[in-house]
Amino acid sequence: ALADMWELPVNERITVDVLKDTILKHATTLPGIFILDEIDTLDRRSLVLVKQLLNESTLVVGLFMTPETYEGLKRMSLRKDKQGSQLKQIFRRFEALITASAIDPKEVAAFTPEVWGSASKEQLTLIAKEANLMGGVDAVQRIARNITDLGGVQNGAIPEETFTSAVSLYRMAVPTGRAA
Protein backbone atom coordinates (compact mmCIF):
# COMPACT_ATOMS: atom_id res chain seq x y z
CA ALA A 1 0.00 0.00 0.00
CA LEU A 2 2.88 2.39 0.77
CA ALA A 3 4.52 1.65 -2.56
CA ASP A 4 1.22 2.35 -4.32
CA MET A 5 0.59 5.53 -2.33
CA TRP A 6 4.05 6.85 -3.10
CA GLU A 7 3.82 5.61 -6.72
CA LEU A 8 7.00 3.56 -6.41
CA PRO A 9 7.88 1.24 -9.29
CA VAL A 10 7.17 -2.34 -8.21
CA ASN A 11 6.39 -5.52 -10.06
CA GLU A 12 4.77 -8.80 -9.11
CA ARG A 13 8.10 -10.59 -8.72
CA ILE A 14 9.63 -8.16 -6.23
CA THR A 15 10.62 -9.71 -2.91
CA VAL A 16 9.35 -8.38 0.40
CA ASP A 17 12.87 -7.34 1.40
CA VAL A 18 13.47 -5.42 -1.85
CA LEU A 19 10.07 -3.75 -1.50
CA LYS A 20 10.88 -2.76 2.09
CA ASP A 21 14.25 -1.33 1.03
CA THR A 22 12.58 0.62 -1.80
CA ILE A 23 10.03 2.08 0.62
CA LEU A 24 12.70 2.99 3.18
CA LYS A 25 14.93 4.62 0.56
CA HIS A 26 12.01 6.73 -0.65
CA ALA A 27 10.88 7.57 2.91
CA THR A 28 14.29 9.07 3.70
CA THR A 29 13.62 11.75 1.07
CA LEU A 30 10.24 12.78 2.47
CA PRO A 31 9.48 15.53 4.95
CA GLY A 32 6.28 15.49 6.92
CA ILE A 33 4.07 13.31 9.04
CA PHE A 34 3.25 9.67 8.39
CA ILE A 35 0.10 8.47 10.17
CA LEU A 36 -0.58 4.79 10.85
CA ASP A 37 -4.05 3.94 12.06
CA GLU A 38 -5.11 0.63 13.60
CA ILE A 39 -1.55 -0.44 14.29
CA ASP A 40 -2.85 -3.53 16.09
CA THR A 41 -3.51 -5.09 12.68
CA LEU A 42 0.16 -5.00 11.68
CA ASP A 43 2.19 -8.20 11.58
CA ARG A 44 5.78 -8.57 12.83
CA ARG A 45 7.37 -7.62 9.49
CA SER A 46 5.26 -4.47 9.34
CA LEU A 47 6.32 -3.57 12.87
CA VAL A 48 9.95 -3.90 11.76
CA LEU A 49 9.22 -1.48 8.92
CA VAL A 50 7.63 1.00 11.36
CA LYS A 51 10.72 0.78 13.56
CA GLN A 52 12.95 1.35 10.53
CA LEU A 53 10.87 4.35 9.43
CA LEU A 54 11.38 5.79 12.91
CA ASN A 55 15.13 5.13 12.71
CA GLU A 56 15.96 5.94 9.11
CA SER A 57 13.61 8.66 7.94
CA THR A 58 12.92 12.22 8.98
CA LEU A 59 9.20 11.54 8.94
CA VAL A 60 7.29 12.16 12.12
CA VAL A 61 5.43 8.89 12.61
CA GLY A 62 2.05 9.06 14.34
CA LEU A 63 0.55 5.81 15.56
CA PHE A 64 -3.19 6.12 16.12
CA MET A 65 -4.95 3.53 18.24
CA THR A 66 -7.65 3.12 20.82
CA PRO A 67 -6.72 3.08 24.50
CA GLU A 68 -7.62 -0.62 24.59
CA THR A 69 -5.24 -1.33 21.71
CA TYR A 70 -2.47 0.66 23.39
CA GLU A 71 -2.85 -1.32 26.61
CA GLY A 72 -2.95 -4.62 24.69
CA LEU A 73 0.16 -3.77 22.69
CA LYS A 74 1.98 -2.71 25.86
CA ARG A 75 1.16 -6.13 27.36
CA MET A 76 2.31 -7.84 24.15
CA SER A 77 5.58 -5.91 24.31
CA LEU A 78 6.39 -7.81 27.51
CA ARG A 79 6.41 -11.13 25.67
CA LYS A 80 9.75 -12.77 24.98
CA ASP A 81 9.08 -13.45 21.28
CA LYS A 82 10.10 -11.40 18.21
CA GLN A 83 6.83 -9.47 18.04
CA GLY A 84 7.16 -8.48 21.70
CA SER A 85 10.70 -7.34 21.02
CA GLN A 86 9.62 -5.22 18.03
CA LEU A 87 6.81 -3.61 20.02
CA LYS A 88 9.15 -2.87 22.92
CA GLN A 89 11.56 -1.14 20.54
CA ILE A 90 8.75 0.90 18.99
CA PHE A 91 7.46 1.99 22.40
CA ARG A 92 10.99 3.09 23.42
CA ARG A 93 11.02 5.45 20.43
CA PHE A 94 7.86 7.30 21.45
CA GLU A 95 8.38 11.00 21.94
CA ALA A 96 4.92 11.61 23.34
CA LEU A 97 1.72 9.81 24.17
CA ILE A 98 -1.27 11.97 23.43
CA THR A 99 -4.60 10.76 24.73
CA ALA A 100 -7.80 12.25 23.36
CA SER A 101 -9.93 13.82 26.03
CA ALA A 102 -13.34 12.38 26.80
CA ILE A 103 -16.34 13.81 25.00
CA ASP A 104 -18.58 15.79 27.32
CA PRO A 105 -22.38 15.67 26.79
CA LYS A 106 -22.32 19.45 26.21
CA GLU A 107 -19.94 18.92 23.27
CA VAL A 108 -22.01 16.29 21.45
CA ALA A 109 -24.32 18.81 19.73
CA ALA A 110 -21.32 20.55 18.14
CA PHE A 111 -20.52 17.49 16.01
CA THR A 112 -23.89 17.08 14.25
CA PRO A 113 -26.07 19.98 15.44
CA GLU A 114 -28.96 19.25 13.08
CA VAL A 115 -29.58 16.04 15.02
CA TRP A 116 -28.08 16.52 18.47
CA GLY A 117 -29.52 20.02 18.84
CA SER A 118 -32.88 18.27 19.35
CA ALA A 119 -31.63 15.62 21.78
CA SER A 120 -32.68 15.48 25.40
CA LYS A 121 -30.13 15.96 28.16
CA GLU A 122 -30.34 12.21 28.88
CA GLN A 123 -29.73 11.34 25.22
CA LEU A 124 -26.71 13.63 25.07
CA THR A 125 -25.34 12.01 28.24
CA LEU A 126 -25.85 8.52 26.78
CA ILE A 127 -24.22 9.46 23.46
CA ALA A 128 -21.20 10.91 25.26
CA LYS A 129 -20.95 7.69 27.29
CA GLU A 130 -21.17 5.54 24.14
CA ALA A 131 -18.61 7.69 22.33
CA ASN A 132 -16.19 7.48 25.23
CA LEU A 133 -16.69 3.74 25.52
CA MET A 134 -15.47 3.23 21.93
CA GLY A 135 -15.65 5.31 18.78
CA GLY A 136 -15.27 8.92 19.92
CA VAL A 137 -16.43 11.58 17.48
CA ASP A 138 -17.02 8.91 14.83
CA ALA A 139 -19.59 7.28 17.15
CA VAL A 140 -21.39 10.59 17.66
CA GLN A 141 -21.56 11.26 13.91
CA ARG A 142 -22.49 7.73 12.83
CA ILE A 143 -25.22 7.41 15.44
CA ALA A 144 -26.58 10.76 14.22
CA ARG A 145 -26.65 9.36 10.65
CA ASN A 146 -28.46 6.29 11.95
CA ILE A 147 -31.04 8.54 13.61
CA THR A 148 -31.54 10.40 10.33
CA ASP A 149 -31.87 7.13 8.41
CA LEU A 150 -34.40 5.83 10.93
CA GLY A 151 -36.70 8.83 10.60
CA GLY A 152 -34.76 11.63 12.19
CA VAL A 153 -35.92 14.35 14.51
CA GLN A 154 -39.70 14.49 14.87
CA ASN A 155 -41.58 17.39 16.42
CA GLY A 156 -38.32 18.91 17.65
CA ALA A 157 -37.14 15.77 19.47
CA ILE A 158 -35.44 12.45 18.81
CA PRO A 159 -37.96 9.69 19.50
CA GLU A 160 -36.65 7.30 22.16
CA GLU A 161 -37.20 4.23 19.96
CA THR A 162 -35.27 5.85 17.10
CA PHE A 163 -32.48 6.84 19.50
CA THR A 164 -32.19 3.34 20.99
CA SER A 165 -32.24 1.69 17.55
CA ALA A 166 -29.59 4.08 16.22
CA VAL A 167 -27.24 3.29 19.11
CA SER A 168 -27.88 -0.46 18.74
CA LEU A 169 -27.12 -0.33 15.02
CA TYR A 170 -23.86 1.46 15.72
CA ARG A 171 -22.82 -1.03 18.40
CA MET A 172 -23.53 -3.94 16.07
CA ALA A 173 -21.09 -2.38 13.60
CA VAL A 174 -18.60 -1.17 16.21
CA PRO A 175 -18.62 -3.35 19.32
CA THR A 176 -16.82 -2.14 22.41
CA GLY A 177 -14.51 -5.15 22.41
CA ARG A 178 -15.20 -5.87 26.03
CA ALA A 179 -16.17 -9.36 27.11
CA ALA A 180 -19.74 -9.76 28.28
Side-chain angles (χ1 to χ4, degrees):
L2 286 175
D4 286 343
M5 180 178 73
W6 288 332
E7 299 176 351
L8 300 176
V10 295
N11 61 50
E12 293 176 12
R13 292 180 286 191
I14 193 169
T15 67
V16 172
D17 289 330
V18 170
L19 179 60
K20 179 188 66 140
D21 291 343
T22 302
I23 289 169
L24 285 172
K25 184 177 178 183
H26 182 72
T28 61
T29 68
L30 299 174
I33 301 171
F34 179 66
I35 303 294
L36 281 170
D37 195 7
E38 299 190 31
I39 190 169
D40 55 313
T41 61
L42 299 179
D43 63 8
R44 188 184 61 76
R45 281 188 138 173
S46 299
L47 291 173
V48 170
L49 178 61
V50 170
K51 185 182 74 174
Q52 289 176 306
L53 283 169
L54 287 164
N55 286 343
E56 300 174 26
S57 76
T58 58
L59 291 170
V60 173
V61 179
L63 306 175
F64 285 33
M65 62 191 89
T66 64
E68 293 83 6
T69 296
Y70 175 74
E71 291 304 322
L73 292 175
K74 285 293 278 188
R75 282 191 301 276
M76 285 176 61
S77 75
L78 300 175
R79 295 185 343 199
K80 301 293 184 202
D81 62 4
K82 286 185 178 185
Q83 187 165 12
S85 174
Q86 293 304 326
L87 284 168
K88 192 177 298 177
Q89 291 180 46
I90 288 171
F91 282 119
R92 279 198 300 257
R93 287 166 173 79
F94 279 12
E95 288 292 327
L97 174 63
I98 302 169
T99 305
S101 59
I103 295 173
D104 185 90
K106 296 175 198 153
E107 298 169 327
V108 170
F111 298 116
T112 315
E114 62 276 11
V115 172
W116 299 123
S118 300
S120 69
K121 185 175 181 177
E122 293 79 21
Q123 289 171 332
L124 292 174
T125 299
L126 285 170
I127 289 303
K129 182 180 174 187
E130 286 294 327
N132 292 324
L133 188 60
M134 178 76 79
V137 174
D138 183 60
V140 173
Q141 293 173 327
R142 287 176 61 182
I143 294 169
R145 281 194 300 274
N146 288 348
I147 288 170
T148 301
D149 292 346
L150 292 169
V153 175
Q154 297 173 10
N155 299 320
I158 301 170
E160 200 56 40
E161 183 178 322
T162 301
F163 177 83
T164 303
S165 295
V167 172
S168 293
L169 284 170
Y170 177 74
R171 278 297 160 223
M172 285 192 308
V174 183
T176 61
R178 299 189 196 316

